[in-house]
Amino acid sequence: MFKLKIIVLFFIFFQLVNYNVFAKFSNEIIVSKIDADLFYSDDERIKFIKELIEQGNTEEALEKLYEFIEVVKKNNETKLIIEGNILLADIFRENGDYKKSTEIFNSIIPSISNDYENLQYIYFKKGGNFQLDSQIDSAKFNYEKAISFNKNIEGKEDLKAKIYANLSGIFYLNGDYESAIENFKIAADFQKTLGNKDIEAGILNNLGGVYYMQGNYKNALEMFEQAFNLVGYGQSDLQKQTRNTSFINMAYAYSGLKNYKKAFEYQDKFFSLNDSLQQELKYKEIAEIQSKYSLATKENETEIEKAKRRDAEVLTYGLGFAILVLLTGIYFLYKLYKLSKKNHALQISQEQLLNQNKIEKIKSDSQAKILVATLDGGLEERKKIANVLHDNVSALLSATNLHLYASKKKLKDKLPVEIDKAQNILEEASEQIRDLSHKLISSVLLKFGLGVAIQDLCEKSSNSTILLKSDSKNIERFNQNFEIKIFNIINELVNNILKHSQAKNGTIKLEQLNGNLQIIVFDNGVGFNENEIEVKSGIGLSQIKARIKMLNGLLNIKSTNEGTRIFISVPIIY
């Protein structure tokens, strides 16, 4: 349950990063730019300095800002002195010097005792500095101080909403869930008034998260559903991310309500949308690279055009410059030729890289097919051997034993001791044959199916150091070869848990859903690094991946030092 809550917190508090308020309530804040909506100045010099900051020219911005403050101090322009110092404190805050930022804010406060809007903004920013510096009590004091000015300020709902949202985070960190809920509701109401549906949805996700931590899964689900309804199926990045967060939150809420069917449904929606978002991110990165390349090409073309114009101007001054113009033209032609060759070589390298990637993919697919074919061949051989042992050898041993039993009846008192010994040997041989047949192919699997076989596997694998449990839903009889392949995959995962995880508990969940067999295997062990495992001794993992790939299935592995969770989904073969 502890691990589940940690995973839930990651998603339910992720949304706040986008609103310049505290993310995940882990004493972190994400601030990338001066918040123009909260701090505004109509002075053109401050606007110019803000533009420099937006462009990433922080050093130049600081130099200009210090010059500006010196000028307005000499002119005794109180309003601009305050605005300049607020901007300076924000810059120190962005660059991680929270102590210096707070000192500057404190120096401003005595001179603006009646300027309630700036006072509220400053106390809000001070609260953020203290929270970033892990001084939670000081952060709480400053947020509450900022709220105390509400009665003197009309409007500014956006700033007020952010103050209440951050204060909610403080209450959450202190374990005061009721106060956290109350403040989140106020923040959501402000955003609703402003019509900021996307931000309101993020706050509702956080509110649902607090309900979830209380164990109030019904209210949590209601908040997550409201958040989803606000963003709907909007296509902006923030709406997609909020929808994705709502899906996984609803999955956990339904899980808390023990409605596992709905939980799996929203989990599938989350995985599907999450994969899509990751793909979009890759496309955006590619587009950004292409854009930069196009910009560089245009700049190069512009330079060439300038050179041509210069050449034309030189020609107008007379024949005396003809040789110089000719040499310049030859020089630029040479440069263009070299650039053309370079671009051509780059294009060839790119094509070679693409072809190499295609070859590697074909090689990987071929290796997977060969591995699966080898496993399938071994499977068929084991089935044949098991059938021969069970149907033929075992039957012959039983028949021989019956003949000896009949002979004992006839001989009665003249019974040689060798007959008893022969019977004992036959019984031992029969038992070994049965054990060997079971090891080749599970008799429980063949007789009763996958669900019962996994339950039997868990019971036999459990011991004094680890408890394995199984949970099967809607599991019926499938194609025999399909059942054997799935059983072998799960058996390999169980062996990994027993050998490497150092876990005390493990669970295997099976569910038939929409024509797919979904398998979740998780434990509370030490976890592993998938890449290191594959490099060192990833034969078992490679076999599992190859088998799932040939079954057209999906494999997802998440492993931390708190445990491992493996999700598998494959189309069922009946």
Side-chain angles (χ1 to χ4, degrees):
M1 190 63 181
F2 172 75
K3 178 185 173 187
L4 180 62
K5 288 183 178 178
I6 292 297
I7 297 172
V8 171
L9 280 176
F10 175 81
F11 290 102
I12 61 180
F13 296 126
F14 178 82
Q15 287 291 316
L16 289 177
V17 177
N18 300 301
Y19 317 129
N20 284 339
V21 287
F22 291 100
K24 296 186 285 184
F25 301 139
S26 58
N27 297 335
E28 295 179 1
I29 189 168
I30 305 298
V31 182
S32 58
K33 299 176 181 177
I34 298 298
D35 196 334
D37 294 330
L38 303 182
F39 169 57
Y40 173 79
S41 174
D42 56 3
D43 187 274
E44 293 299 324
R45 291 166 293 181
I46 289 183
K47 289 180 180 178
F48 175 69
I49 293 169
K50 286 185 178 181
E51 288 176 2
L52 290 175
I53 296 170
E54 292 286 341
Q55 295 165 6
N57 300 323
T58 306
E59 290 185 5
E60 184 180 356
L62 271 173
E63 182 180 347
K64 296 290 184 185
L65 183 55
Y66 278 121
E67 291 175 0
F68 169 81
I69 292 173
E70 287 299 319
V71 170
V72 296
K73 278 184 177 179
K74 289 178 180 179
N75 296 332
N76 200 26
E77 297 175 83
T78 305
K79 178 176 179 294
L80 294 179
I81 293 172
I82 293 167
E83 290 179 355
N85 277 284
I86 288 176
L87 182 55
L88 181 62
D90 276 335
I91 293 174
F92 278 111
R93 168 195 178 91
E94 288 180 42
N95 288 276
D97 194 343
Y98 311 123
K99 185 176 181 180
K100 182 66 176 176
S101 175
T102 301
E103 287 176 359
I104 296 172
F105 281 135
N106 286 335
S107 69
I108 301 169
I109 291 174
S111 58
I112 56 170
S113 57
N114 295 321
D115 187 353
Y116 299 114
E117 289 186 2
N118 274 329
L119 280 171
Q120 186 172 63
Y121 176 82
I122 288 172
Y123 279 106
F124 167 65
K125 288 292 186 175
K126 281 181 60 184
N129 286 344
F130 282 118
Q131 186 159 359
L132 285 164
D133 208 21
S134 300
Q135 299 182 46
I136 304 303
D137 291 336
S138 296
K140 178 175 178 291
F141 170 83
N142 280 275
Y143 288 145
E144 290 177 337
K145 183 70 174 178
I147 290 173
S148 71
F149 297 112
N150 281 355
K151 60 181 179 296
N152 303 109
I153 301 172
E154 291 185 5
K156 296 290 182 180
E157 284 82 5
D158 190 25
L159 175 57
K160 293 174 183 176
K162 292 177 181 180
I163 297 170
Y164 279 107
N166 283 12
L167 184 58
S168 300
I170 298 296
F171 283 122
Y172 173 81
L173 286 174
N174 289 331
D176 188 352
Y177 293 147
E178 292 300 328
S179 296
I181 289 170
E182 179 184 351
N183 282 275
F184 268 135
K185 287 180 178 179
I186 296 172
D189 287 341
F190 275 123
Q191 296 298 350
K192 186 174 184 179
T193 301
L194 292 168
N196 296 332
K197 291 185 177 180
D198 296 347
I199 300 178
E200 182 187 356
I203 293 174
L204 289 175
N205 263 330
N206 294 333
L207 177 56
V210 180
Y211 279 128
Y212 184 94
M213 297 304 295
Q214 285 185 315
N216 190 344
Y217 304 122
K218 183 177 179 181
N219 283 358
L221 179 61
E222 182 181 350
M223 293 301 103
F224 298 149
E225 288 175 340
Q226 286 183 24
F228 170 74
N229 291 333
L230 282 171
V231 297
Y233 288 91
Q235 295 303 303
S236 73
D237 290 344
L238 179 56
Q239 288 170 333
K240 289 180 181 178
Q241 187 60 60
T242 302
R243 181 164 62 253
N244 200 36
T245 303
S246 296
F247 282 155
I248 193 61
N249 287 348
M250 284 191 277
Y252 281 107
Y254 276 120
S255 177
L257 292 168
K258 302 192 183 305
N259 188 342
Y260 300 113
K261 183 176 181 181
K262 279 285 188 180
F264 275 112
E265 178 184 340
Y266 280 98
Q267 176 184 266
D268 285 344
K269 289 182 179 180
F270 165 75
F271 282 134
S272 176
L273 180 56
N274 195 56
D275 290 342
S276 175
L277 290 174
Q278 293 300 320
Q279 192 64 37
E280 285 182 11
L281 183 60
K282 290 180 182 178
Y283 287 150
K284 287 180 180 178
E285 291 174 350
I286 293 170
E288 185 179 354
I289 293 170
Q290 290 176 337
S291 175
K292 289 180 180 178
Y293 178 78
S294 299
L295 179 61
T297 304
K298 288 180 180 178
E299 289 175 351
N300 187 51
E301 291 173 352
T302 302
E303 289 298 322
I304 294 171
E305 290 298 322
K306 287 180 179 179
K308 289 180 179 179
R309 286 197 296 271
R310 284 197 299 269
D311 290 345
E313 291 173 358
V314 170
L315 287 172
T316 61
Y317 288 110
L319 294 176
F321 296 98
I323 295 175
L324 179 62
V325 171
L326 180 62
L327 291 174
T328 304
I330 292 172
Y331 172 76
F332 277 105
L333 287 173
Y334 173 74
K335 283 290 185 181
L336 286 172
Y337 171 73
K338 294 289 287 183
L339 180 61
S340 176
K341 284 187 68 176
K342 187 176 180 180
N343 288 339
H344 182 65
L346 178 61
Q347 184 178 1
I348 292 173
S349 297
Q350 289 174 339
E351 290 176 355
Q352 288 175 342
L353 181 60
L354 288 173
N355 290 333
Q356 184 65 31
N357 289 338
K358 290 179 181 178
I359 292 170
E360 291 298 328
K361 187 177 184 303
I362 292 170
K363 187 187 295 184
S364 175
D365 291 343
S366 299
Q367 290 174 344
K369 289 178 181 178
I370 292 169
L371 180 56
V372 171
T374 303
L375 294 173
D376 288 343
L379 175 62
E380 291 300 323
E381 286 301 316
R382 288 199 301 273
K383 286 174 63 179
K384 289 179 182 179
I385 295 170
N387 287 334
V388 168
L389 291 173
H390 184 270
D391 298 338
N392 296 334
V393 178
S394 184
L396 289 172
L397 291 174
S398 297
T400 304
N401 192 35
L402 287 172
H403 286 308
L404 289 172
Y405 181 77
S407 298
K408 287 172 68 176
K409 288 288 186 182
K410 288 183 179 181
L411 293 172
K412 293 183 180 179
D413 297 334
K414 300 178 181 181
L415 181 66
V417 70
E418 287 78 8
I419 291 180
D420 281 334
K421 289 184 177 181
Q423 276 192 306
N424 291 334
I425 292 170
L426 282 173
E427 288 177 1
E428 184 178 350
S430 296
E431 185 176 345
Q432 291 182 4
I433 290 295
R434 284 194 299 272
D435 289 344
L436 180 58
S437 175
H438 181 74
K439 288 179 180 177
L440 290 169
I441 298 292
S442 170
S443 60
V444 176
L445 176 67
L446 297 177
K447 289 180 181 179
F448 303 108
L450 190 59
V452 177
I454 296 303
Q455 176 67 35
D456 180 65
L457 176 64
C458 289
E459 291 176 358
K460 289 180 177 178
S461 301
S462 295
N463 53 49
S464 60
T465 59
I466 184 170
L467 174 64
L468 295 176
K469 299 185 294 185
S470 72
D471 182 8
S472 300
K473 293 185 179 180
N474 304 325
I475 302 302
E476 53 194 50
R477 293 308 301 266
F478 309 128
N479 173 273
Q480 189 179 82
N481 280 346
F482 176 78
E483 288 184 334
I484 294 172
K485 291 174 182 177
I486 297 299
F487 180 83
N488 288 340
I489 290 171
I490 296 174
N491 190 35
E492 181 66 29
L493 294 174
V494 169
N495 286 335
N496 288 340
I497 292 173
L498 296 175
K499 291 178 181 178
H500 309 297
S501 73
Q502 301 178 30
K504 294 183 179 179
N505 294 286
T507 302
I508 302 168
K509 292 187 177 183
L510 305 176
E511 184 172 10
Q512 180 178 342
L513 186 65
N514 299 328
N516 288 330
L517 178 62
Q518 293 191 342
I519 305 163
I520 301 177
V521 180
F522 54 88
D523 64 71
N524 62 351
V526 296
F528 64 90
N529 186 310
E530 185 180 346
N531 294 328
E532 290 181 1
I533 290 294
E534 288 185 347
V535 169
K536 292 179 181 177
S537 58
I539 297 175
L541 191 59
S542 298
Q543 289 180 353
I544 293 170
K545 288 184 175 180
R547 178 73 75 189
I548 293 171
K549 186 175 184 180
M550 291 300 103
L551 290 172
N552 297 317
L554 169 70
L555 172 65
N556 182 272
I557 301 174
K558 289 185 178 180
S559 187
T560 69
N561 57 9
E562 294 180 354
T564 299
R565 180 186 182 279
I566 299 176
F567 173 80
I568 299 171
S569 179
V570 293
I572 296 172
I573 301 174
Y574 294 95

